[in-house]
Amino acid sequence: MSSLALLHASQLLTLAGPKRPRVGKELSELGIIRDGGMLIRDGKIDMVGPSDQIEKSLTALGHQVPEGGKNVEIVDLGGRVALPGFVDAHTHLVFGGNRLDDFERRTRGETYEQIAKAGGGIWSTVEKTRVANEEELFEFTKKRLDWFLECGTTTIEAKSGYGLTVEDELKILRVVRRLNDETPLEIVSTFLGAHAIRRETSTDKYVELVINEMLPRVVKERLAEFCDVFCERGYFDLEQSRKILMAAKKLGLKLRGHVDQLTNSGGAKLMADVGAMTADHLEKTDGGGIAALKSAKVQPVLLPGSVYALGSTSYPRAREMIGAGLAVVLATDFNPGSSPTPSMPMVLSLACTQMKMSPAEAISAATTNAAYSLNRGDKIGSLEAGKLANVAVFDCEDYRELAYWFGIPQTHSVYLRGRRT
Ligand code: NIG
Ligand code: FE
């Protein structure tokens, strides 16, 4: 049995609390232990508490403190902040190429929709993703995973959606599966076949393909836990989105959805109707949509990185959502078009400065609430006995510094299942 003790965090943010997603005031309760420490055994957390208590237990077990002993390593965190690794609950992780041309067009004032019409947008990434084979996509994405780790993220949700043929969608999901199997990060897979359509195909025909061919293959090959759709003007309308989501639900997938991002199309209500786990984006969602999410207990996943990178000011109404009792989640939306950032600390900064969330609320939304939104709240998202030892340590003394300083990396070290990466 191998053990690791992490000692002397200035603040150990345990996020200990109710075994369900946090709402209201609970979002501000980080369960902070000053001069905190933890004992990890075989990748899981065994004990969390003040460092002197952990040290006493170690001494009682016959270990020398601070040197350690047989089968126990002791690490002094040197007065830094430690918290559960970030859980990034919304990314488009696997894609080919980049969207530098779109980026430059936006600097000239063109909108996301105008750029898509002019041959950029999602479709241009689809072309670059299709020409890459599985091996190439795997190698390319594996390098990107280091970016996430460098930002303190230990779990990533990853969507398909840049293939849009049966074989290309399956190829992306196989890459996701390999990344999960062959790297230390946990990667949760979501099928997003309904991300865009080719202009020359009718959307209804494409919806049939998603329902009759893609979904059954994805489920048969156990390639995804969730199904997502892009419900938006010019993409999939409410009825098409509902059809896909209901078909996915019947096959046993859980549901997420890109809704009300560019227009308030009633997407939040749709996600409530179909019993989704999450409704993502919500930049244009109004009070009615918020009430629907509340009554169906759907978690909103807010993606301020995409609002920022698109040069918009239309941030989702986070304060109203928190006031209504929604269990908000924050994520990066990492993708080459609307949100080219893997950085959860950057997202925390945007959540605080642009959406007026407090630093504590933002951290709860990026850890424990995100874990529940991926159906993993019992294993990750907080530092409590029995959970996986996924820990991010930052070079600061006060957790608020995570959202306060921006544009500089503060990550000191990251542990995945008790192993330093
Ligand atoms: O979440 N809105 C749809 N999907 C992505 C953007 C994908 C892209 O532009 O490549 C999003 O913003
Ligand atoms: Fe997205």
Side-chain angles (χ1 to χ4, degrees), residues 287-408:
I290 292 174
L293 294 178
K294 165 71 181 159
S295 61
K297 290 198 171 159
V298 181
Q299 285 190 261
V301 180
L302 309 183
L303 309 163
S306 63
V307 182
Y308 168 79
L310 289 178
S312 159
T313 48
S314 192
Y315 286 90
R317 290 148 68 164
R319 284 260 56 91
E320 221 176 297
M321 293 179 191
I322 292 170
L326 298 187
V328 290
V329 176
L330 285 168
T332 61
D333 196 13
F334 176 72
N335 75 76
S338 68
S339 193
T341 181
S343 173
M344 288 300 285
M346 178 68 194
V347 167
L348 298 183
S349 166
L350 290 169
C352 296
T353 59
Q354 308 302 306
M355 305 191 320
K356 307 300 174 206
M357 289 174 70
S358 70
E361 288 172 333
I363 286 172
S364 297
T367 54
T368 181
N369 273 13
Y372 278 103
S373 87
L374 293 177
N375 214 15
R376 282 164 170 69
D378 57 335
K379 293 195 186 71
I380 55 171
S382 67
L383 301 179
E384 295 177 277
K387 289 206 171 176
L388 295 181
N390 293 349
V391 188
V393 181
F394 293 92
D395 239 330
C396 52
E397 282 175 32
D398 183 313
Y399 73 87
R400 293 173 297 180
E401 292 182 69
L402 282 176
Y404 168 71
W405 306 107
F406 70 96
I408 47 153

Side-chain angles (χ1 to χ4, degrees), residues 224-244:
E225 287 179 45
F226 292 91
C227 179
D228 195 332
V229 294
F230 186 18
C231 179
E232 184 60 65
R233 181 175 69 194
Y235 293 85
F236 298 87
D237 67 21
L238 282 176
E239 274 325 298
Q240 291 159 341
S241 301
R242 181 192 300 272
K243 253 176 119 174
I244 292 168

Side-chain angles (χ1 to χ4, degrees), residues 4 24 63 82 142 155 200 205 282 290 308 340 351 393 405 419:
L4 170 71
H63 299 296
K142 208 169 127 188
T155 307
E200 53 274 22
K205 264 216 176 112
L282 307 171
I290 292 174
Y308 168 79
V393 181
W405 306 107
R419 269 176 204 269

Side-chain angles (χ1 to χ4, degrees), residues 10-282:
S10 60
Q11 299 176 333
L12 184 86
L13 277 48
T14 64
L15 277 293
K19 297 189 189 327
R20 55 167 171 75
R22 307 289 159 84
V23 296
K25 289 202 168 60
E26 295 163 357
L27 284 162
S28 307
E29 290 156 16
L30 299 180
I32 297 175
I33 302 174
R34 286 178 203 283
D35 192 9
M38 57 200 288
L39 186 59
I40 295 163
R41 274 184 218 270
D42 287 336
K44 285 195 176 166
I45 299 166
D46 197 43
M47 202 188 289
V48 183
S51 293
D52 57 354
Q53 266 181 33
I54 307 281
E55 283 174 339
K56 266 187 208 141
S57 315
L58 285 169
T59 316
L61 291 167
H63 299 296
Q64 304 284 318
V65 178
E67 288 83 17
K70 206 169 167 253
N71 293 334
V72 66
E73 186 193 348
I74 298 180
V75 173
D76 187 336
L77 296 181
R80 298 183 176 86
V81 169
L83 61 145
F86 292 120
V87 177
D88 191 346
H90 181 137
T91 83
H92 304 252
L93 185 66
V94 180
F95 54 84
N98 59 49
R99 294 258 282 284
L100 289 169
D101 294 336
D102 291 20
F103 176 65
E104 196 167 6
R105 275 180 140 132
R106 272 202 301 280
T107 65
R108 297 199 293 260
E110 291 181 49
T111 67
Y112 186 78
E113 283 171 301
Q114 283 166 342
I115 292 166
K117 276 205 185 105
I122 293 173
W123 192 251
S124 67
T125 298
V126 170
E127 285 166 348
K128 291 176 201 132
T129 308
R130 282 186 182 170
V131 295
N133 64 34
E134 196 177 308
E135 195 55 37
E136 288 164 342
L137 281 176
F138 176 79
E139 289 302 329
F140 182 70
T141 314
K142 208 169 127 188
K143 289 202 190 99
R144 294 282 144 84
L145 289 182
D146 291 339
W147 287 357
F148 285 85
L149 280 172
E150 284 161 20
C151 294
T153 296
T154 50
T155 307
I156 306 175
E157 184 259 15
K159 304 174 196 296
S160 67
Y162 292 121
L164 311 187
T165 64
V166 178
E167 284 313 319
D168 288 302
E169 283 296 301
L170 294 178
K171 173 178 77 181
I172 293 169
L173 293 173
R174 288 194 192 109
V175 171
V176 172
R177 173 150 73 194
R178 269 187 72 193
L179 291 165
N180 182 55
D181 292 348
E182 297 178 29
T183 74
L185 279 146
E186 183 172 20
I187 314 205
V188 181
S189 179
T190 296
F191 168 61
L192 174 57
H195 194 197
I197 43 141
R198 216 175 327 173
R199 276 175 288 280
E200 53 274 22
T201 318
S202 89
T203 313
D204 283 330
K205 264 216 176 112
Y206 186 74
V207 170
E208 296 303 317
L209 179 78
V210 170
I211 293 175
N212 297 328
E213 294 186 42
M214 291 185 185
L215 270 171
R217 289 282 299 278
V218 167
V219 170
K220 187 161 166 245
E221 296 188 30
R222 295 176 182 274
L223 283 167
E225 287 179 45
F226 292 91
C227 179
D228 195 332
V229 294
F230 186 18
C231 179
E232 184 60 65
R233 181 175 69 194
Y235 293 85
F236 298 87
D237 67 21
L238 282 176
E239 274 325 298
Q240 291 159 341
S241 301
R242 181 192 300 272
K243 253 176 119 174
I244 292 168
L245 293 170
M246 291 311 290
K249 190 174 183 176
K250 248 192 181 158
L251 292 173
L253 297 183
K254 295 187 181 65
L255 310 179
R256 321 177 85 75
H258 285 70
V259 292
D260 302 340
Q261 179 183 10
L262 308 171
T263 54
N264 181 16
S265 60
K269 287 199 189 87
L270 170 69
M271 299 318 283
D273 278 0
V274 298
M277 293 280 285
T278 68
D280 303 39
H281 277 290
L282 307 171

